[in-house]
Each structure stands twice: as structure tokens, then as C-alpha cells.
Amino acid sequence: MTDDNVVLRDWTDPIFSEEEGVWIYKDILRSGKPGEAIIYKWFNGSGTFMAGALGDNPNGQKLFKSFKTTPDENYKNFDYDTYYEKVFRPIAIKGESKITPFKRFNAKMYEDMGNQGPFGGMLLPFDYNVYYETGKPKESVAKAVQDPLIQMMYGPLFKYYMMDKFMYFMGIEKGWTIPFSGKMEARWMRQDATLMINHSITKESMACESCHTSKEKGVMSYEDLGYTLERIKDLRNLEELKLIKK
Ligand code: HEC
């Protein structure tokens, strides 16, 4: 994967594209680098949270975490470790996890300040006609939330059928408000999304040494994948590879 791959995208500060003749988002980072753009995670094949894959290292050591949250000021004292063990680990360990490559992605968007929690807030939609034509993202949100469909979605039915449960996972205990509070702010998502890699695949596959090598040279971090120190040492100094080379 090359630099046509977007990793960080800011929707809240559009730039005018001469080529397209419209206002568009700003890409802050494009990259194809392992560790930066491509990351390896344990994935149980079905669980996700905030567009991030859930899974666990089957070694049962609880060294692997499916995501890392960068909290806002207001949630600095929230006990993320305990919450992870209580709410996410039981979901993450379900099924059979495999190490899976993902595209790392994060975006800056507008959030409803009336619906905030330790893992982020309710994202607000854009009206793309307004966005592309005027380059005014806040006005584009204001237009989008007046749409009858969004009004219905951000209303009582949505609350009872979906959001009460969803907000529980988001760690929002104090309840949340419908409809849209009218207060919005631009924020990056507090944890990266991990997107499936299912296009732009190149023919050259990896060699054993792509993974079984030093931390600096390798494409995956055994530390982040929750291996024990002893196991990490083995995986970086495989006897088998020495035999193959001979
Ligand atoms: C994409 C990364 C990747 C590539 C490429 C890769 N491996 Fe591995 N390999 C791993 C990981 C991760 C483990 C540990 C799996 C586990 O036990 O959780 C592993 C485990 C092993 C083990 C088991 C070691 C033990 O002590 O149990 C051997 C042997 C091994 N690999 C050999 C190879 C050989 C030979 C190649 C090339 C033909 C290769 N690997 C290519 C990631 C890779």
C-alpha cells in the first residue's frame, strides 16, 4: 500500500479543490507504513467498538488490548483499565481470534457536546451539498440535522431501540439527550478506527523475516499484540529460520 492511503482526515477545516471545483476535507496524514498506516491486531471476526476490531491473544495473559483511548480533559480520571476488563474483554475473548492486518484511520468531525462520554461523543452528519459548495462545515451540520430522517433517527425510537444500549457500552451513565443539543465541537475520535484491508493489495507477499525480526525492522509489534517477553524473544530469534537459511 502506498501514500494514496489516508490515515488522518480532518473534515472540520475544508480546503478548496481547484481541480474538483468544490470544498473538500483535508488529509493530515497519508501513508502506507507498517505501524503507522497498517497495524496488526487480534480480531475475533465479529466484534467491533467505534469502528475498531475486537479480539484477544489466546494466551490468556490479558496483555493485549483491542484499542487505546486518548481521553478528553473531562475523563482523565475515568478508570479505563477496569472498564476494559469489565465491558470489552468478555466480548473480545469470544470466538477464535486471529492476527489480522488493518488500515488505521482517524477523523476530526463535529460532535454533539450534549452526548459525550469517556470514549467520545455522538458524531454529527454533514449536508454534503452545503459542505462542498460553501466550505462551511458547521452550517452543513446545521442543515443536515434538520433533515426529517435525521430528526427521526435522533429521536425517541432511536433511543429505545438502539441508543440506550449503545450508550451503555460508551460508558455514559448519566443518560444522554435527544434531540441534538445544538452545541457542537470539532474533535478527533478518541480511539483509532481499524478498517479492513480488502482492496489495493499488492502481489508481493511477506517473507518470514517481515515478522520474525527485530522490533525496528518488523511489520508487527509483538509487544502490542500481548505476547509475553519470553515469547517475544523466541519469535524474534527463530531457530527454524536459521535452518531455512542454511
Ligand atoms: C505476518 C507475520 C508473520 C510471517 C510473515 C511469518 N510469521 Fe511465523 N509467526 C508469526 C506470529 C505472530 C507467530 C506466533 C503465533 C502465536 O503463537 O500466537 C508465529 C509463529 C511462528 C512459529 C512458531 C514458533 C514457536 O516457538 O511456537 C514458527 C516456527 C514460525 N512462525 C515460522 C515462520 C516461518 C518459517 C515463516 C516464513 C515461511 C513465518 N513464520 C512467517 C508471524 C509471522
Side-chain angles (χ1 to χ4, degrees):
M1 221 176 288
T2 55
D3 287 0
D4 57 5
N5 174 53
V6 55
V7 181
L8 301 176
R9 176 166 286 173
D10 184 355
W11 286 94
T12 65
D13 188 16
I15 39 172
F16 190 73
S17 159
E18 296 291 345
E19 196 186 333
E20 312 273 353
V22 291
W23 292 85
I24 57 166
Y25 46 71
K26 199 190 275 170
D27 285 344
I28 307 292
L29 176 65
R30 284 172 167 289
S31 160
K33 273 192 216 145
E36 181 175 81
I38 305 301
I39 55 165
Y40 291 86
K41 293 180 60 173
W42 289 98
F43 180 39
N44 67 13
S46 58
T48 62
F49 173 67
M50 305 290 281
L54 296 179
D56 205 358
N57 188 323
N59 68 11
Q61 301 277 323
K62 300 190 176 171
L63 294 169
F64 175 77
K65 279 223 183 77
S66 286
F67 52 85
K68 188 173 169 287
T69 301
T70 313
D72 280 357
E73 274 295 297
N74 297 344
Y75 299 98
K76 269 203 335 233
N77 297 324
F78 185 83
D79 183 355
Y80 284 93
D81 288 340
T82 305
Y83 194 82
Y84 186 87
E85 296 305 326
K86 186 180 126 213
V87 178
F88 295 111
R89 180 89 58 199
I91 300 169
I93 59 172
K94 281 189 188 156
E96 196 179 318
S97 288
K98 292 186 176 159
I99 297 176
T100 312
F102 289 99
K103 251 168 71 110
R104 176 183 156 231
F105 181 68
N106 204 322
K108 193 174 186 184
M109 290 171 282
Y110 285 99
E111 288 180 8
D112 174 1
M113 298 314 288
N115 285 314
Q116 292 285 312
F119 300 96
M122 180 74 96
L123 296 173
L124 294 164
F126 291 117
D127 180 290
Y128 286 103
N129 287 333
V130 174
Y131 190 98
Y132 291 138
E133 280 168 20
T134 67
K136 292 182 177 155
K138 278 189 162 179
E139 286 175 23
S140 151
V141 172
K143 175 84 195 300
V145 294
Q146 278 158 24
D147 187 285
L149 197 68
I150 300 292
Q151 298 254 318
M152 200 158 79
M153 269 191 64
Y154 218 149
L157 281 180
F158 190 45
K159 175 170 163 64
Y160 297 122
Y161 283 110
M162 196 180 139
M163 292 311 291
D164 282 344
K165 184 80 183 267
F166 183 66
M167 286 299 179
Y168 160 76
F169 286 109
M170 294 275 287
I172 299 178
E173 284 153 27
K174 276 187 233 132
W176 58 286
T177 54
I178 47 167
F180 169 45
S181 70
K183 272 179 66 191
M184 62 169 119
E185 270 178 34
R187 294 283 164 88
W188 290 98
M189 296 188 290
R190 304 319 170 270
Q191 46 279 308
D192 291 336
T194 45
L195 310 181
M196 299 292 273
I197 299 180
N198 41 26
H199 48 269
S200 293
I201 308 291
T202 63
K203 272 188 193 145
E204 296 127 62
S205 63
M206 281 190 267
C208 311
E209 291 88 352
S210 310
C211 300
H212 294 288
T213 181
S214 65
K215 188 180 169 91
E216 295 71 40
K217 289 193 207 138
V219 298
M220 61 172 66
S221 160
Y222 293 129
E223 286 80 1
D224 290 347
L225 288 166
Y227 287 99
T228 60
L229 289 178
E230 199 183 345
R231 182 83 171 131
I232 291 172
K233 208 172 145 208
D234 283 348
L235 293 174
R236 293 211 171 114
N237 301 283
L238 275 189
E239 287 305 317
E240 288 83 349
L241 280 201
K242 290 171 200 152
L243 293 175
I244 290 175
K245 274 191 191 139
K246 275 184 206 156

